[in-house]
Amino acid sequence: MLLHWIWLATRPGMNDRIKAEGLRHFGDPEDAYYADPASYAGVEGMTEDAAALLQDKDLKEARAVLEACENQNIGILTLQDAMYPNRLKNIADPPLVLYFKGKLPEFDALPVIAVVGTRDATPYGLKTAKNLGAQIARCGGLVISGLATGIDAMAMRGALSAGKAVVGLMGCGVDVVYPANNRSLLTDTQ
């Protein structure tokens, strides 16, 4: 079944909202995969182009993603998994699948603070971001950031220096550390 989650999540040219509507209509991705193509018309917001994309039943890409995740110890959460964060699940178009490395924190039980800032920070800005990250962590907050150079990375380093976990959202994929000089942050979080 995980294979079909990845298949649906990786349909090119379809936004997450239409994928989520398809999921609500069919109940699960496997049913969407095996559905009669005429039944795609019953999905709210489904365009002819999107329906045509769902008729591509090639699982080669999904198998490759699943194999890569297994080989690199990357976990996968689907929208229906109990560990999928409720706060994320309740946005307008949540991602169907989340990929992760390391131990997942209790997202819904902790105050979560996202720290995002400039990459070209001043020394004062970097120092302040590190102090802010440490204070958030000491007060029981979870620092989430995009692992970017500058303010983002320094806030994460601050939280880590306080002995707390952080979450790095990786826009290039969990298997690609960008920028590479922040690899130590990824290593520290596993």
Side-chain angles (χ1 to χ4, degrees):
M1 175 106 119
L2 194 52
L3 186 66
H4 295 99
W5 276 98
I6 296 170
W7 166 79
L8 182 58
T10 58
R11 293 299 83 208
M14 287 181 69
N15 66 40
D16 286 338
R17 189 167 293 168
I18 292 175
K19 292 174 188 177
E21 285 299 327
L23 184 60
R24 277 190 277 284
H25 181 82
F26 292 107
D28 66 58
E30 191 171 7
D31 287 344
Y33 180 84
Y34 288 110
D36 178 76
S39 65
Y40 295 146
V43 176
E44 186 177 327
M46 182 70 67
T47 64
E48 286 183 28
D49 290 341
L53 293 168
L54 290 176
Q55 291 179 47
D56 177 2
K57 306 298 183 183
D58 186 0
L59 294 172
K60 190 164 96 175
E61 179 184 1
R63 282 191 180 98
V65 169
L66 190 56
E67 183 178 330
C69 289
E70 289 170 357
N71 291 339
Q72 297 178 44
N73 199 27
I74 296 171
I76 303 171
L77 282 180
T78 71
L79 191 59
Q80 292 178 343
D81 285 328
M83 290 294 296
Y84 193 102
N86 280 325
R87 293 173 183 162
L88 185 57
K89 190 181 289 185
N90 290 312
I91 66 171
D93 54 352
L96 298 183
V97 176
L98 298 175
Y99 302 92
F100 68 93
K101 281 188 124 174
K103 182 181 174 195
L104 289 175
E106 295 183 41
F107 288 104
D108 296 322
L110 297 169
V112 177
I113 309 293
V115 179
V116 181
T118 183
R119 295 174 186 207
D120 190 23
T122 64
Y124 174 77
L126 294 172
K127 179 181 176 186
T128 302
K130 187 171 184 180
N131 289 337
L132 179 64
Q135 286 299 325
I136 291 168
R138 285 188 196 108
C139 291
L142 176 63
V143 174
I144 295 183
S145 187
L147 283 176
T149 297
I151 298 297
D152 299 36
M154 288 308 289
M156 292 181 81
R157 290 187 196 289
L160 290 169
S161 73
K164 302 296 182 176
V166 297
V167 174
L169 300 177
M170 302 171 70
C172 298
V174 72
D175 59 337
V176 178
V177 180
Y178 181 81
N181 62 335
N182 283 341
R183 182 171 297 281
S184 65
L185 288 172
L186 179 64
T187 304
D188 289 344
T189 62
Q190 295 183 21

